[in-house]
C-alpha cells in the first residue's frame, strides 16, 4: 500500500523529467510546483478550483493543481506550461492577442492544449464546455475563442 | 494550501481500505475516504474539515471498473465524472454528472466523491435515484449490494468505515428516454452547456412504463426523489398544470443567495413542465 | 526603411513571456530568509474588540511575531485619514484585518492565525445606504470631525451623521428649466457594491534593510503613491522607500491604494526588517481589500416636446463602505459628469458619500461613471418613452457638441469632447437599429435592443506628472524607461509605438523596461484613469525631442552640416534633401569616434516629462471647475434574446463606438474595449457583493460571486471614431476604462423593452426580472 505519513522525498514526473521533491501529504500540487520546483507558470488565484489559473495536465488531462494533492500526482505525467515548447497554441495565443495581463494565460493555454490533443476535432460545444473552466477578467473571451478555433482548424487542415 | 498535516494512504484492495479505516479510526485520526478530493482539499483549506488521515480509493481496481455485465452497468466509484462522460455509457448520468462544477474539475471529481459529498447538489445522484440504481458497499464484513433508495436519504447512510465501491444500474432503465435540465441564478444562458454555478433547480426525469420518475437538486438541501411527487405527477386524471402544482407542494423548498423559495418554485414548475413535454408525457 | 509606429497592431512586447509561464508577477518571487504573513480578519461587520488573545498562536513553533491594531497608533487614507491598517478598538466591516501572524511558512502563519482568539461585542450594523442616512442610524465613525484631512477642501462631511462627502452642482436656473419642460420623468435606481477580481490577488513583500532602507515589492497600479504614503505614515525619507512592481496580474482600479503594503511593512518591522510576504487569499481579496462602490440614485429630467432636455436634477448616494479611501473622489467625479454627455443648461446635482459597515471602496474601472450612467441612461429611456420618441434619436438631439458646456462649466470644443453624434450614427448602422428594437420570434422568445451613451475624463490631481527616459544602445536599439505599470492593456507597447512613430523607426527596436522601480524609474502619478498613454505618451514625446536634439547635434558635426538640414528616421540621421547622406544612430548613440580616434559626444540620454495643466478644483458651492484634460465619448448597445416565460436571456450582441482620438494599437484597443464590455455585462447581469443581515459577506468566493465565463460573451462589435485631442500624443484619448461604462445601462434598456417592465437595478438576474414583472421590488 502506498502511503505518505507526513513529509517525504517523492519523485514527480514533471515535463518529461523526474524530480525528487519533499512533499508534505497535505501539500497541493500547485504549491509544490511553485514553491519547490520553481515552476511559477501555474498561478494561484482562487485556490478553490473556481478560476483555472493553476491548470496543468495530468496524463494529458487538464486538472486544477490547487485541487490536487502533490502526492496524488506521483506516478503520473505532469505537464505544466513550462513543459510546452513552441506549440501552436502558444504561438496562436500571441497572434490572436488572446491575453492582456497574462495571469490566467498559462491555465487557459494548458486547457486549450489538452483539448486540442484529446479532441482534435472538437466542435464549439466541446470547446465551450472545456474552456468555461477558466476565468479571464481582462479580455471578453473573443480572442481566446479565436485562438483555440484557429489551432483546431490547423489540426483539421493537417489531418487532410 | 492546507494549514495542517494529515496522513495519506492509497490501499490496493477494498479489504485493506476498510481495515485501515478501522485502525485509523481507533487511533483517533478521524480518517476520510478520498476520491477526487476536491471537496476535502477546498474545505480543509478553510478549516471546514480536519481529517487526520485520508484513504485514497483510486488505487482499488474494483473502484475503477466500467463495464456492462449481465444486463447491468457497473461503474466504479473512483471513476471521474469526465471518464464517465467520455465513455458515453449512461446518458442520463452524463447529463447530470456532466454539470457538476466545471469540465476541468470533473477530470478530478469522482462518482463516489460526488455521491458522498457535503455539497447540497450532488447532481450525479439524480440519475441514480431516477433509475433505481443499486450500489455496492464495502464493509469490514464484506461487500453488500443494496438499492439506493434503502440507503440514500438526504445523504448516503452507510455505516462508519464502509465505503462506496460501485454503482450498478439496470441497462434497460439506463437507456430509457430521459429529460434533464439545470437552471442557475445567472441571466445569460446562451447554450445548454452553460451550467457553471450552483443550481437554482437541477432536475432529471425518465419515463418508465408510462410512469414519470423525477429527481431534483437545488430545490432542497439535498438531491431528492419523492414517491409523493412521482404519484402527483402521474395522476393523469387531472390537468397537467394542476399535477405540477400538487407535486411541488411536497418539497420543502429552500431560499438562499442563488434563489428564493418562491423563485425556485417557479423555476421548478417550468422544469417539470418541460420534462413532461420532452418525455411526451401529457 | 521599415517603420512600425502607431496605428499598427503589434503584439504586446511581453507576449512570449506570457505564453511560456516565464512572465513573473509579484506572487512568483521569493527571497532568502523570507517569512510569511497571514491575516486574521473580522467575522463581524461592526463590533467592539474586547480582547485579542494571541498566546496560543505565539507558542506555535515557527511563529515569529503577531501584531494587532493595538501595536500602532496610525490612521491612513488618501483623502481623509480614517482607517487604521489593522482594526483598533472596533471593527467596521466583515473581513477587516484584525491581526497578522508572521511565521516561517505560510502554513504555520495560517495555522497560528487560526489560534488567535478575538472577543467581539457586536454593535448595530449599518447594512445599506438607506440604513446609513436614516435618522438615528448608528455611526460608523463617531470621531469623523477629528480625522486629519490630507488636502483642504477635498471633503465636506456632516458631523454626527454617516455622510462623509457632499458635492454640489448648481448650473443655470433650474426653476426656469422646469418651466420650459413639457414632459418630466423621474426614477430611482439601485446598484450594489461589487469586486474587482483581478486574477492576481493583491499581494506584497516588504523588507527593511540594515541601513533603514525600506524595500517593497508589490502588485500595484500606484508605486509612487505607495512610496509616498509609506514615507508619510512612518515618517521616513521618501527616497529611502523603494517600490518594485513587476508585471501586474490585472488591477481594474483595485490596486490603486496603499493597503497591504502598510500591513506588510508593519509585519517586517515586527521581525527586525526580515522580508515578509503577504498574499491575500481570494476570500480576503474579496472582503478585506477595497471593492467597487454601490449607489442609490434619483434622477429627474424635464424636456420640451421636441425632445430637448431643459432641466435635470440628480441625487447620488454612494456606499463607500467603512472607510473613505477614494470614494469621496468618485462621488465628486460622478457629480462633475452627472448629466451624461448631454447638453443640459439647468442642472442641480447632490452627490453624497455615506459610510456603511461594508467593505470600503476604492477606484474601479470607470471611477464611478458606470453607476451614475446607469441612472441617467435608464431615465433617458423613460423620457423617450414619455415623449413617444426613438431613444437613439433622443440621444442624438441632446448629444453634447462644441460650444456647449459641461455641468462644471467647462467650455467644449472638438478637441476636448470629440464627436458623440458620429458615434451614435455609426452605432445605429452597426446594430441595425432601424430594423426595430423589439421583435417577437415565437416560442416565448423576444429579441430586443438597448442603447446608452458614455463619457469620461480623468480626475487626477492638478499637478499629476510623468517622466520618461530614453537611452541608446550600441546596436542602435533604444531603451525606454517610464513609471507606468504594465497591468495588461499593453501600455508599454503603445508607448514604444508612440516613440517609434516620432523617431520613424521600428517599435520592435525599442525595449521598454517592464518593471517599475521607484529608485530608477521616472515618476508617473498612477497607472489609472485611462491617462497613461496621454500623460506618459506626452512625456515620451518630450524625451524624444530631447533625444533628437542631441542626435542632430552630434550628427551635424559628423556630417559637417547645420542640424536644421538633418532628419531622424529608420535608425539613421540623414540629410532631408539627400537622404543617401546619412549616419546610423548606432554610430553616434554612445559617442562618435573620428577616424583618427578622437571622439565626441557620449551616450545619448533623452529625458522628458509632462504635467497636467489648467485643471481647476471644483467650487464647493456651484461645482464649477475642471477635473480632467479631455473626455472620451462613446455610444453602446446590447441586443438580447429574452424568454418571456422563464425570464432568462441570452446576450446576443454588444456594440461600442468610441471616439478614441487616434487608435494607437487597434487590436490592443479593441481588446481592452471588449474586456470592459464583458465586465459591464457581468456587472449588469450577475455581479454583486451580497451582505447578509448583520453585514456578513455571503459570497466571497468565485463559485458564489458569478463572473462572465467563456462563451457567455456575446458577439462584440467595436468601432472607433477618430476626432483628435490636439494635445494628446498623435491626437489619442484615453479609452481603457470606457468599454464598461454604458453597458449595464444598455443591457437594462434592452431587457426592459423585452420584459416590458422598468428594470432599475442590477444585477439583472432572471429572478430580479421575474420579481419586477410580478410587481415586486428587489
Amino acid at each position: 500500500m502506498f502511503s505518505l505519513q507526513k513529509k517525504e522525498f517523492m519523485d514527480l514526473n514533471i515535463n518529461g523529467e523526474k524530480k525528487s521533491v519533499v512533499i508534505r501529504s497535505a501539500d497541493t500540487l500547485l504549491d509544490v510546483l511553485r514553491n519547490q520546483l520553481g515552476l511559477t507558470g501555474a498561478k494561484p488565484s482562487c485556490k478553490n478550483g473556481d478560476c483555472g489559473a493553476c491548470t496543468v495536465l495530468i496524463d494529458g488531462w487538464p486538472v486544477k493543481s490547487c485541487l490536487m494533492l502533490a502526492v496524488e500526482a506521483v506516478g503520473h505525467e505532469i505537464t505544466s506550461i513550462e513543459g510546452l515548447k513552441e506549440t501552436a497554441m502558444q504561438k496562436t495565443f500571441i497572434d490572436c492577442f488572446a491575453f492582456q495581463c497574462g495571469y490566467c494565460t498559462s491555465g487557459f493555454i494548458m486547457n486549450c492544449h489538452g483539448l486540442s490533443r484529446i479532441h482534435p476535432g472538437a466542435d464549439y460545444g466541446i470547446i465551450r464546455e472545456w474552456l468555461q473552466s477558466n476565468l479571464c477578467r481582462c479580455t471578453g473571451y473573443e480572442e481566446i475563442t479565436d485562438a483555440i478555433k484557429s489551432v483546431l482548424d490547423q489540426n483539421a487542415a493537417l489531418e487532410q | 494550501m492546507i494549514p495542517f498535516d494529515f496522513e495519506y494512504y492509497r490501499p490496493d484492495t477494498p479489504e485493506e481500505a476498510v481495515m485501515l479505516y478501522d485502525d485509523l479510526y481507533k487511533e483517533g485520526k478521524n480518517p476520510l475516504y478520498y476520491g477526487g478530493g476536491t471537496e476535502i482539499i477546498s474545505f480543509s483549506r478553510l478549516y471546514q474539515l480536519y481529517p487526520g488521515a485520508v484513504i485514497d480509493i483510486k488505487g482499488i481496481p474494483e473502484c475503477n471498473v466500467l463495464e456492462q455485465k449481465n444486463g447491468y452497468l457497473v461503474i466504479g466509484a473512483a471513476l471521474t465524472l469526465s471518464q464517465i462522460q467520455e465513455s458515453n455509457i449512461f446518458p442520463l448520468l452524463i447529463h447530470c454528472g456532466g454539470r457538476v462544477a466545471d469540465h476541468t474539475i470533473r477530470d478530478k471529481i469522482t462518482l463516489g466523491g460526488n455521491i458522498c459529498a457535503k455539497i447540497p447538489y450532488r447532481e450525479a445522484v439524480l440519475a441514480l435515484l431516477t433509475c433505481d440504481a443499486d450500489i455496492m458497499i464495502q464493509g469490514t464484513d464484506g461487500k453488500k449490494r443494496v438499492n439506493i433508495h434503502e440507503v440514500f436519504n438526504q445523504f448516503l447512510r452507510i455505516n462508519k468505515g464502509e465505503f462506496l465501491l460501485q454503482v450498478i444500474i439496470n441497462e434497460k432503465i439506463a437507456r430509457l428516454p430521459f429529460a434533464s435540465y439545470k437552471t442557475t441564478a445567472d441571466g445569460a444562458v446562451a447554450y445548454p452547456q452553460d451550467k457553471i454555478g450552483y443550481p437554482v433547480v437541477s432536475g432529471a426525469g425518465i419515463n418508465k412504463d408510462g410512469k414519470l420518475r423525477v429527481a431534483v437538486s437545488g430545490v432542497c438541501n439535498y438531491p431528492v426523489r419523492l414517491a409523493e411527487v412521482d404519484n402527483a405527477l402521474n395522476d393523469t386524471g387531472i390537468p397537467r398544470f394542476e399535477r405540477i402544482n400538487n407535486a411541488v407542494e411536497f418539497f420543502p423548498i429552500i431560499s438562499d443567495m442563488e434563489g428564493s423559495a418562491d423563485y425556485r418554485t417557479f423555476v421548478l414548475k417550468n422544469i417539470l413542465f418541460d420534462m413532461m413535454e420532452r418525455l411526451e408525457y401529457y | 526603411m521599415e517603420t512600425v509606429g502607431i496605428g499598427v497592431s503589434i503584439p504586446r512586447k511581453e507576449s512570449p513571456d506570457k505564453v511560456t509561464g516565464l512572465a513573473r508577477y509579484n506572487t512568483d518571487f521569493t527571497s532568502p530568509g523570507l517569512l510569511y504573513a497571514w491575516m486574521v480578519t473580522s467575522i463581524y461587520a461592526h463590533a467592539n474588540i474586547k480582547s485579542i488573545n494571541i498566546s496560543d498562536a505565539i507558542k506555535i513553533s515557527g511563529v515569529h511575531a503577531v501584531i494587532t491594531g493595538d501595536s500602532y497608533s496610525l490612521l491612513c487614507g488618501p483623502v481623509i485619514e480614517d482607517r487604521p491598517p489593522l482594526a483598533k478598538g472596533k471593527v467596521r466591516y466583515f473581513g477587516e484585518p484584525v491581526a497578522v501572524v508572521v511565521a516561517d511558512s505560510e502554513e504555520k502563519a495560517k495555522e497560528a492565525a487560526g489560534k488567535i482568539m478575538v472577543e467581539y461585542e457586536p454593535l448595530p450594523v449599518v447594512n445599506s445606504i438607506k440604513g446609513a442616512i436614516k435618522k438615528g442610524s448608528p455611526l460608523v465613525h463617531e470621531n469623523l470631525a477629528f480625522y486629519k484631512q490630507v488636502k483642504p477642501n477635498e471633503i465636506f462631511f456632516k458631523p454626527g451623521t454617516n455622510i462623509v462627502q457632499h458635492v454640489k452642482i448648481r448650473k443655470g436656473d433650474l426653476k426656469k428649466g422646469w418651466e420650459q419642460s413639457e414632459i418630466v420623468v423621474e426614477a430611482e435606481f439601485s446598484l450594489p457594491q461589487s469586486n474587482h477580481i483581478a486574477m492576481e490577488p493583491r499581494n506584497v513583500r516588504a523588507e527593511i534593510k540594515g541601513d533603514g532602507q525600506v524595500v517593497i515589492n508589490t502588485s500595484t497600479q500606484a508605486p509612487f503613491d505607495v512610496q509616498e504614503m509609506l514615507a508619510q505614515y512612518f515618517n521616513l525619507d521618501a527616497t529611502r522607500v523603494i517600490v518594485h512592481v513587476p508585471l501586474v496580474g490585472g488591477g481594474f482600479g483595485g490596486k490603486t491604494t496603499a493597503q497591504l503594503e502598510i500591513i506588510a511593512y508593519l509585519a517586517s518591522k515586527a521581525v527586525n526588517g526580515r522580508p515578509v510576504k503577504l498574499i491575500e487569499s481570494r476570500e480576503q481579496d474579496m472582503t478585506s481589500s477595497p471593492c467597487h462602490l454601490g449607489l442609490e440614485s434619483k434622477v429627474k429630467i424635464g424636456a420640451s416636446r421636441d425632445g430637448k432636455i431643459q432641466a435635470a436634477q440628480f441625487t447620488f448616494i454612494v456606499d463607500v463602505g467603512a472607510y473613505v479611501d477614494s470614494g469621496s473622489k468618485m462621488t465628486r467625479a460622478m457629480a462633475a459628469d452627472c448629466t451624461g454627455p448631454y447638453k443640459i443648461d439647468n442642472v442641480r446635482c447632490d452627490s453624497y458619500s455615506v459610510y456603511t459597515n461594508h467593505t470600503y471602496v476604492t477606484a474601479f474601472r470607470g471611477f464611478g461613471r458606470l453607476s451614475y450612467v446607469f441612472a441617467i441612461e435608464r431615465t433617458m429611456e423613460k423620457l423617450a418613452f414619455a415623449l413617444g420618441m426613438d431613444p437613439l434619436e433622443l440621444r442624438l438631439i441632446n448629444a453634447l457638441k462644441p460650444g456647449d458646456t459641461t455641468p462644471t462649466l467647462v467650455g467644449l470644443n472638438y478637441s476636448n469632447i470629440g464627436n458623440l453624434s458620429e458615434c451614435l450614427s455609426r452605432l445605429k448602422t452597426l446594430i441595425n437599429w432601424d430594423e426595430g428594437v423589439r421583435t417577437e420570434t415565437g416560442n416565448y422568445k423576444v429579441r430586443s435592443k438597448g442603447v446608452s451613451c458614455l463619457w469620461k475624463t480623468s480626475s487626477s490631481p492638478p499637478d499629476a506628472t510623468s517622466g520618461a527616459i530614453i537611452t541608446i544602445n550600441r546596436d542602435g536599439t533604444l531603451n525606454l524607461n517610464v513609471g507606468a505599470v504594465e497591468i495588461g492593456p499593453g501600455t508599454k507597447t503603445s508607448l514604444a509605438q508612440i516613440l517609434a512613430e516620432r523617431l520613424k523607426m521600428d517599435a520592435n527596436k525599442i525595449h521598454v523596461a517592464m518593471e517599475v522601480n521607484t529608485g530608477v524609474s521616472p515618476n508617473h502619478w498612477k497607472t489609472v484613469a485611462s491617462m497613461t498613454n496621454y500623460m506618459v505618451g506626452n512625456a515620451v514625446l518630450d524625451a524624444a525631442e530631447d533625444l533628437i536634439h542631441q542626435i542632430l547635434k552630434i550628427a551635424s558635426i559628423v556630417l559637417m552640416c547645420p542640424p536644421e538640414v538633418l532628419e531622424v528616421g529608420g535608425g539613421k540621421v540623414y540629410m532631408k534633401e539627400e537622404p543617401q547622406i546619412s549616419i546610423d544612430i548606432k554610430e553616434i548613440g554612445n559617442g562618435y569616434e573620428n577616424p583618427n580616434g578622437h571622439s565626441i559626444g557620449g551616450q545619448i540620454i533623452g529625458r522628458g516629462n509632462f504635467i497636467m495643466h489648467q485643471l481647476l478644483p471644483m467650487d464647493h458651492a456651484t461645482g464649477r471647475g475642471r477635473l480632467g484634460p479631455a473626455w472620451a465619448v462613446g455610444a453602446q448597445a446590447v441586443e438580447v434574446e429574452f424568454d418571456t416565460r422563464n425570464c432568462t436571456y441570452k446576450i446576443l450582441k454588444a456594440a461600442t463606438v468610441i471616439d478614441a482620438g487616434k487608435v494607437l494599437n487597434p487590436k490592443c484597443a479593441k481588446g481592452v474595449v471588449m474586456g470592459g464590455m464583458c465586465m459591464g455585462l457581468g456587472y449588469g447581469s450577475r455581479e454583486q457583493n451580497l451582505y447578509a443581515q448583520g453585514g456578513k459577506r455571503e459570497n466571497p468566493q468565485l463559485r458564489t460571486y458569478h463572473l462572465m465565463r467563456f462563451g457567455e460573451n456575446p458577439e462584440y462589435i467595436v468601432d472607433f471614431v477618430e476626432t483628435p485631442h490636439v494635445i494628446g500624443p498623435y491626437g489619442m484619448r484615453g479609452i481603457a476604462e470606457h468599454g464598461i461604462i454604458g453597458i449595464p445601462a444598455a443591457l437594462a434598456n434592452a431587457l426592459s423593452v423585452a420584459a416590458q417592465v422598468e428594470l432599475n437595478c442590477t444585477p439583472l438576474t432572471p429572478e430580479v426580472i421575474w420579481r419586477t414583472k410580478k410587481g415586486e421590488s428587489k
Side-chain angles (χ1 to χ4, degrees), chain C residues 40-49 52 84 86-98 118 120-124 140 322-323 357:
Chain C
V40 178
T41 61
S42 172
I43 53 167
Y44 286 95
H46 201 192
N48 287 324
I49 301 172
I52 302 178
L86 295 171
K88 198 179 169 83
K90 75 173 187 173
V91 289
R92 295 184 174 88
Y93 67 96
F94 176 89
E96 182 163 5
V98 171
V118 186
Y120 294 100
E121 176 187 51
L123 294 168
V140 179
Y323 301 103
N357 292 118

Side-chain angles (χ1 to χ4, degrees), chain C residues 55-56 67 71 129 152 164 274 276 304 329 341 379 401 417 423 464 525 640 693 725 759 777:
Chain C
S55 54
D56 286 348
I67 55 172
S71 327
I129 289 174
V164 64
R274 279 183 69 175
V276 174
S304 43
K329 290 189 182 186
T379 314
K401 290 179 186 61
I417 192 68
C423 294
W525 165 52
V640 297
Q693 213 160 13
H725 174 217
L759 298 168
S777 60

Side-chain angles (χ1 to χ4, degrees), chain C residues 315-369:
Chain C
T315 309
F316 302 142
I317 311 178
V318 176
D319 177 358
V320 298
Y323 301 103
V324 170
D325 198 80
S326 55
S328 60
K329 290 189 182 186
M330 289 185 282
T331 303
R332 189 181 60 192
M334 288 160 69
D337 284 357
C338 63
T339 54
Y342 304 116
K343 172 181 157 58
I344 310 181
D345 291 333
N346 306 302
V347 182
R348 182 190 167 104
C349 173
D350 291 280
S351 190
Y352 302 93
S353 307
V354 297
Y355 281 129
T356 64
N357 292 118
H358 291 164
T359 298
Y360 71 102
V361 308
T362 193
F364 177 82
R365 195 176 207 158
F367 210 61
R369 274 72 164 195

